Amino acid sequence: MVNPNKVTERLFQSPSKYIQGPYAIHNAAKYLSKLGNSPLLICDEIVWNIAGQSLVTALESAQFKVHRAVFGGEASQEEIGRLSVLGKDKHSDFVIALGGGKTIDTAKSVADGLALQVAVIPTTASTDAPCSALSVLYRPSGEFHCYTFFDKNPTIVLVDTTVVSRAPPRFLAAGMGDAIATNVEARRCTNSTNFGGGLQTEVSSAICQKCEEILFKYGKQAYEANKAHAVTPALEAVVEANTLLSGLGFESGGLAAAHAIHNGMTAIEELHTLLHGEKVAFGTICQLVLDGVPTSELDRYIEFMLSVDLPVNFEQLGIPNVKDEKLREVAELACAEGETIWNLDRVINVDFVFGAIKAADAAGRDYIRRTGWKKD
Ligand SMILES: [Zn+2]
């Protein structure tokens, strides 16, 4: 519900330090030494080979005692419990999250449970998870479970853009799908409380707008640079938009329909292979439809999404024959009590959301037909 407690304070929260640049991992010890010297490093096998070893080498040469914990793959209560026991047994004095969104959300929960600080080192710019004081938890089966909230944001977020540039471009595009939702959602949440429990500050809305501006300006160029594994000013700008601006923007701005519809979409099993931001991109089109924006504006977003291969209709999502009853289920979940859709400053019900999902698919198809767009 929109501000049920009639909160009047404005609130903005963020990590203490954000560092981004090529080969930044090599300088990790300089920043992490403020947190302790015996970290629990949470990362999966793939990430270990990509960045884990070089991070540990950098830390061990600075006398850190690193204990490595292998992340199992799902940000679930079960996995958090298992890793917390490890951290306790090893007497870890802080936690490092190295990897993608699910690793990060799990590590933030582990650190919170153990009352330790957490340093987040994302290896892709695929979500806005790194900077926030909340985690999205899933059931072991992959369905959305809940949001959990922490007292503080990660102490340090360190992004090595050389590592990010080597990740498949699909991850950067998904991060853009997540980040393009930020301003669309936050600008309709001006009367509701954000994730910190306060109203938007001027700087939160400025951040959301800047995030969107960068994506429209550099999104396509950064996507192409990523295909060439090149760190360029455009790539740096988009990595910052996806990670810092989207993260600060959604947390202190607020989420609305795009993320609520994403959460509902996790009930469709065929979509489990898609990345968070790919579903959020489609959810953003749904919200723009709900918002009643002019066709010219809707086109601008669809054009942007297509330019970085984000899905704009059911076919591109991989569910060309999805049934109405399934979409109604998505709409019902998106309208569940406590969902962020209730932050929207307009009347919402399941019928409207169901209609918006159908119309978003139709708008995506119409754009492609009208413009003759073809995947290059
Ligand atoms: Zn998101």
Side-chain angles (χ1 to χ4, degrees):
M1 292 301 135
V2 172
N3 201 353
N5 300 321
K6 310 227 177 324
V7 172
T8 51
E9 288 97 2
R10 296 168 176 224
L11 186 151
F12 177 81
Q13 62 187 51
S14 70
S16 306
K17 204 169 270 189
Y18 178 86
I19 305 119
Q20 176 188 310
Y23 301 107
I25 276 181
H26 295 180
N27 296 323
K30 181 168 96 187
Y31 301 105
L32 301 191
S33 60
K34 313 276 188 301
L35 278 61
N37 63 7
S38 180
L40 180 73
L41 167 64
I42 300 177
C43 73
D44 64 28
E45 288 292 353
I46 300 170
V47 167
W48 173 255
N49 291 321
I50 295 168
Q53 278 164 323
S54 60
L55 174 66
V56 169
T57 306
L59 293 179
E60 284 181 345
S61 63
Q63 314 310 321
F64 280 77
K65 222 171 117 275
V66 183
H67 184 80
R68 180 187 162 208
V70 181
F71 175 56
E74 192 52 88
S76 65
Q77 217 82 65
E78 289 77 359
E79 185 64 359
I80 292 161
R82 185 183 73 81
L83 294 167
S84 300
V85 170
L86 263 176
K88 206 176 238 166
D89 286 353
K90 300 293 169 191
H91 304 290
S92 304
D93 55 8
F94 73 101
V95 177
I96 302 175
L98 180 71
K102 286 182 193 264
T103 307
I104 293 165
D105 278 356
T106 302
K108 287 195 290 187
S109 298
V110 170
D112 182 71
L114 298 173
L116 298 176
Q117 298 188 82
V118 60
V120 176
I121 308 182
T123 49
T124 63
S126 59
T127 74
D128 50 21
C131 292
S132 73
L134 64 100
S135 285
V136 187
L137 300 187
Y138 292 82
R139 301 192 189 284
S141 57
E143 280 158 55
F144 172 73
H145 177 202
C146 63
Y147 290 102
T148 50
F149 300 92
F150 314 124
D151 291 339
K152 50 184 192 302
N153 296 68
T155 311
I156 288 173
V157 177
L158 183 144
V159 190
D160 185 324
T161 41
T162 308
V163 171
V164 170
S165 75
R166 289 178 189 149
R170 183 183 170 194
F171 288 104
L172 188 78
M176 288 192 257
D178 203 12
I180 197 71
T182 307
N183 193 46
V184 171
E185 294 190 280
R187 70 187 178 189
R188 305 305 301 268
C189 296
T190 49
N191 295 320
S192 60
T193 49
N194 59 29
F195 284 99
L199 301 173
Q200 287 179 10
T201 60
E202 295 295 333
V203 81
S204 355
S205 46
I207 285 170
C208 294
Q209 287 162 24
K210 189 72 186 175
C211 180
E212 183 174 285
E213 182 192 313
I214 289 171
L215 296 177
F216 279 117
K217 204 151 121 188
Y218 293 120
K220 170 72 170 161
Q221 192 188 139
Y223 184 57
E224 297 305 323
N226 193 176
K227 286 181 188 170
H229 306 303
V231 178
T232 63
L235 185 85
E236 291 275 5
V238 169
V239 170
E240 186 182 328
N242 287 6
T243 313
L244 182 64
L245 303 186
S246 181
L248 300 179
F250 97 80
E251 183 167 35
S252 292
L255 296 179
H259 272 77
I261 291 168
H262 160 275
N263 292 342
M265 284 164 75
T266 63
I268 301 181
E269 220 186 298
E270 294 92 313
L271 296 179
H272 286 183
T273 52
L274 292 192
L275 299 167
H276 170 79
E278 293 170 335
K279 287 171 277 183
V280 172
F282 183 74
T284 303
I285 304 177
C286 298
Q287 178 170 336
L288 290 165
V289 170
L290 265 183
D291 288 347
V293 303
T295 309
S296 55
E297 193 180 339
L298 192 56
D299 279 358
R300 208 161 78 88
Y301 286 91
I302 293 174
E303 182 193 10
F304 165 73
M305 289 174 194
L306 287 171
S307 76
V308 294
D309 297 323
L310 286 167
V312 303
N313 58 36
F314 294 150
E315 194 189 339
Q316 292 182 346
L317 282 164
I319 48 169
N321 303 313
V322 64
K323 300 264 187 304
D324 277 2
E325 54 194 43
K326 202 67 199 171
L327 296 176
R328 191 160 273 282
E329 200 186 316
V330 171
E332 276 163 11
L333 286 166
C335 294
E337 208 187 311
E339 254 303 351
T340 54
I341 202 163
W342 302 112
N343 288 336
L344 275 182
D345 52 2
R346 67 162 56 213
V347 176
I348 291 294
N349 62 36
V350 172
D351 282 335
F352 289 168
V353 176
F354 171 72
I357 297 170
K358 298 272 285 181
D361 164 64
R365 282 186 287 114
D366 170 61
Y367 180 90
I368 290 170
R369 196 168 44 229
R370 211 172 354 109
T371 60
W373 176 86
K374 275 199 178 54
K375 192 172 165 21
D376 55 28

